[in-house]
Amino acid sequence: MLNKEITIKTIYQKIQDNDLQDLHNREIVLKGFVRNNRCLGQVGFLSVNDGSCFLNAQVVYKVKDEKITSIRLGSTVIVKGRINLTIGGYQPFEIESEEVILVSQTNENYPLQKKKTSFDFLRTIPTLRMKTNTFNAVFRVRDSLSYNIHRYFHENGYVWIHTPIITANDCEGEGQTFQVVADSKHPEEYFNKDNVHLTVSGQLHVEPFALTYQRVYTFGPTFRAEKSNTTRHAAEFWMIEPEVAWCDMEGIMDIEEDFLKFVVREVRKECPQDFEFFYQRVDKDLKKRLDDFENKKFARVKYSDAINILKEAKKTHKFEVDDIEFGLDLGSEHERYLTEEVFKGPIFLTDYPKDIKAFYMKMNDDNKTVRGVDLLVPTIGELCGGSEREDSYDKLLGRMNELKMNIPAYEWYLDLRKNGSAPHSGFGLGFERMMMLLTGMTNIRDTLPYPRCYKDMLY
Ligand code: 4AD
Ligand code: MG
């Protein structure tokens, strides 16, 4: 016997492909949860979502069946019926029900009623949050984004390297790490190492692989104990870190731009219904912003020029931090001013003062600035941070000593510059910041299935 189960996604796909013969009057079985239940005279309408796509199926039933009219929102059902094509109507098909089996009725106080609920409130009901239109779309896009990131790298000859989560190094040197201890004891007792923590970045561990495979990347969770309760910082977030040998700072910017444009284009193609919802209901400017992101070339601006622009802007614009001089670690107000007001699109900001960047960045000949590059985007600020790496052993060691780093802990990393060094560059993309860019969601917590943030972890 033919399996009668079909997903809503398949039905929409067949309609789009004009494969109507196969659908017309077809007997089907649909399993899902109820999004809406209303009656109009003698007929009732159940909106059922089966999770396969953003849109629901409308199930038509006869109101005299009281068991169906009393089904509440959120309840799970199995629907047996036939597809009725209504191409050109408000929706292109309906399901004429023959039987609706109520599998589980929700409580009367089911929290997701038709009225709008705030994102803050939804975070307090983690088992239901993804059943709303917004989060249903967000997490589907999150999946598509991961998939297309992997796709880009694999189609372009990169090898995915799994870097460790437990480490003794602090890649960014900010000291904002979560300590790892075994059973409340000192880490020394388990690892024979003094200072063991969760990784803030896979970069140091992926660099050696770049010098063998040439094109590699990491994609995994990273952890930062930054004490900042902002809408753009999470304590646990995912990072993508490509690392490319024989590549300089210019080259890594080319790759970064090509990569980001590819994923934006492909994710939009893969999730059209979800994006339609974001454009209409989450952020009215999103569509234009994403079109621009895909189509316009990203500007490339030197840090020192950006400082001059900001100094000039200070005359007419009020910045909270306004002692703008060479050496200032730009805050998000400065970054957003540059990308939103001045360049009106994404910008690569390059050649930062060495003192505000990490130890591994390649020094410029001026001995003052490094070959570091941040990508800044409208509404978010910093999306990616990267650099050409210092590939000279002596210069790197010199810089690490200047910074009074614990050299023995990094001996293994320094070795890379002794045995078969080569120019190489890389960058790190904050996955959730990319999610914010794609969806128009303005709080990083609302891109994470279970957010972990400073002073804010609910379950
Ligand atoms: O700029 P960051 O610190 O760069 C690095 O970690 C380098 N090791 C990357 C590399 O060159 N391989 O972090 C990279 C990106 C940031 O641009 C930002 O998008 C994101 O990671 N990020 C965060 N996202 C969410 N919450 C936080 N607390 C974040 N901190 C950084
Ligand atoms: Mg950074």
Side-chain angles (χ1 to χ4, degrees):
M1 201 186 86
L2 212 70
N3 182 1
K4 292 178 190 156
E5 271 186 51
I6 190 167
T7 64
I8 297 171
K9 181 177 180 168
T10 308
I11 299 176
Y12 272 103
Q13 190 61 53
K14 283 181 186 291
I15 289 171
Q16 201 188 333
D17 299 344
N18 215 17
D19 189 0
L20 303 181
Q21 271 321 47
D22 192 40
L23 292 180
H24 182 61
N25 213 23
R26 175 170 166 165
E27 230 186 299
I28 61 146
V29 173
L30 183 71
K31 297 172 177 167
F33 66 95
V34 172
R35 270 262 174 78
N36 198 6
N37 188 4
R38 69 199 164 90
C39 299
L40 211 78
Q42 290 310 300
V43 279
F45 303 94
L46 271 187
S47 279
V48 177
N49 190 281
D50 70 350
S52 65
C53 69
F54 181 80
L55 298 173
N56 308 314
Q58 167 146 287
V59 177
V60 186
Y61 65 90
K62 297 205 172 60
V63 163
K64 63 177 187 282
D65 190 343
E66 231 179 79
K67 276 207 312 277
I68 311 182
T69 47
S70 60
I71 293 179
R72 288 193 283 265
L73 304 199
S75 302
T76 41
V77 292
I78 299 173
V79 176
K80 298 181 179 175
R82 286 182 186 276
I83 295 178
N84 178 21
L85 289 175
T86 50
I87 312 282
Y90 184 67
Q91 49 224 337
F93 73 97
E94 291 175 339
I95 295 170
E96 306 243 7
S97 80
E98 274 147 30
E99 188 184 3
V100 175
I101 303 165
L102 176 59
V103 176
S104 168
Q105 173 84 303
T106 47
N107 293 328
E108 261 164 55
N109 53 2
Y110 182 69
L112 300 182
Q113 297 301 332
K114 268 178 287 176
K115 65 180 183 337
K116 223 175 166 270
T117 34
S118 77
F119 295 158
D120 289 353
F121 167 70
L122 291 172
R123 254 177 267 127
T124 68
I125 44 170
T127 61
L128 297 176
R129 186 161 76 123
M130 62 296 261
K131 291 198 163 156
T132 60
N133 278 324
T134 306
F135 289 97
N136 200 281
V138 163
F139 297 123
R140 187 174 300 100
V141 166
R142 195 176 159 107
D143 166 65
S144 174
L145 177 60
S146 321
Y147 168 71
N148 282 294
I149 287 170
H150 282 302
R151 215 186 114 204
Y152 176 86
F153 289 125
H154 283 265
E155 287 176 5
N156 287 282
Y158 288 71
V159 178
W160 180 18
I161 305 298
H162 303 113
T163 47
I165 285 174
I166 298 176
T167 173
N169 301 127
D170 178 3
C171 175
E172 296 306 301
E174 304 267 356
Q176 295 167 325
T177 56
F178 289 102
Q179 297 295 314
V180 173
V181 289
D183 210 9
S184 320
K185 297 201 177 71
H186 196 263
E188 178 94 50
E189 289 174 33
Y190 192 93
F191 287 113
N192 277 339
K193 276 233 179 310
D194 210 19
N195 190 8
V196 178
H197 42 249
L198 301 178
T199 191
V200 297
S201 156
Q203 180 196 325
L204 303 186
H205 295 91
V206 87
E207 279 188 47
F209 285 86
L211 294 186
T212 298
Y213 299 103
Q214 299 209 11
R215 290 171 168 240
V216 296
Y217 71 107
T218 70
F219 189 161
T222 45
F223 307 87
R224 294 194 186 183
E226 284 158 310
K227 292 200 175 121
S228 42
N229 190 353
T230 77
T231 52
R232 286 167 296 105
H233 290 87
E236 176 178 313
F237 61 100
W238 287 59
M239 218 202 289
I240 295 89
E241 299 184 85
E243 190 71 31
V244 184
W246 312 106
C247 179
D248 60 11
M249 186 177 73
E250 301 297 327
I252 205 69
M253 285 190 272
D254 292 341
I255 291 172
E256 207 165 321
E257 187 166 348
D258 185 55
F259 158 67
L260 292 170
K261 286 180 167 165
F262 172 89
V263 294
V264 169
R265 193 169 61 237
E266 295 303 311
V267 174
R268 289 173 91 189
K269 251 195 255 167
E270 213 171 76
C271 308
Q273 300 160 351
D274 306 274
F275 277 93
E276 232 12 85
F277 176 82
F278 295 137
Y279 303 151
Q280 285 175 23
R281 305 292 288 276
V282 175
D283 181 345
K284 295 271 185 247
D285 300 326
L286 181 64
K287 185 166 189 302
K288 179 170 190 313
R289 237 179 15 252
L290 293 179
D291 286 343
D292 286 352
F293 190 94
E294 276 184 33
N295 299 321
K296 289 191 181 159
K297 187 143 176 51
F298 299 174
R300 299 185 180 191
V301 187
K302 278 195 158 69
Y303 168 91
S304 53
D305 293 333
I307 289 293
N308 289 335
I309 293 171
L310 292 170
K311 267 187 180 163
E312 200 47 42
K314 209 173 83 171
K315 295 177 186 160
T316 53
H317 184 88
K318 175 93 193 79
F319 292 108
E320 263 168 47
V321 175
D322 69 353
D323 49 343
I324 295 163
E325 291 297 334
F326 183 91
L328 171 72
D329 197 358
L330 299 183
S332 98
E333 54 168 343
H334 309 114
E335 295 178 336
R336 290 187 58 177
Y337 184 84
L338 288 167
T339 176
E340 287 166 25
E341 305 297 328
V342 184
F343 292 93
K344 301 192 191 309
I347 57 173
F348 285 115
L349 209 55
T350 67
D351 301 282
Y352 283 81
K354 66 177 178 186
D355 294 325
I356 57 169
K357 285 293 177 193
F359 73 97
Y360 52 72
M361 295 193 182
K362 190 177 174 73
M363 196 71 73
N364 278 317
D365 292 337
D366 63 10
N367 256 323
K368 246 171 46 186
T369 57
V370 288
R371 308 242 74 198
V373 48
D374 280 3
L375 177 65
L376 313 179
V377 299
T379 74
I380 294 166
E382 181 185 338
L383 180 66
C384 302
S387 76
E388 189 168 339
R389 315 307 188 190
E390 184 56 78
D391 53 315
S392 147
Y393 178 86
D394 292 332
K395 284 190 188 164
L396 185 60
L397 182 63
R399 182 70 185 134
M400 291 170 78
N401 276 320
E402 253 173 53
L403 292 168
K404 301 197 168 45
M405 286 172 66
N406 173 18
I407 305 295
Y410 295 86
E411 210 80 69
W412 71 273
Y413 174 74
L414 272 160
D415 271 358
L416 191 62
R417 274 72 178 166
K418 280 196 223 154
N419 301 308
S421 191
H424 58 290
S425 302
F427 67 90
L429 163 68
F431 184 78
E432 285 73 19
R433 300 235 178 130
M434 188 68 195
M435 279 295 296
M436 294 169 75
L437 179 126
L438 275 172
T439 61
M441 299 298 278
T442 53
N443 189 333
I444 196 164
R445 291 162 181 77
D446 294 326
T447 67
L448 280 153
Y450 296 92
R452 274 86 183 83
C453 295
Y454 181 57
K455 303 258 189 216
D456 181 10
M457 186 170 114
L458 293 168
Y459 25 79

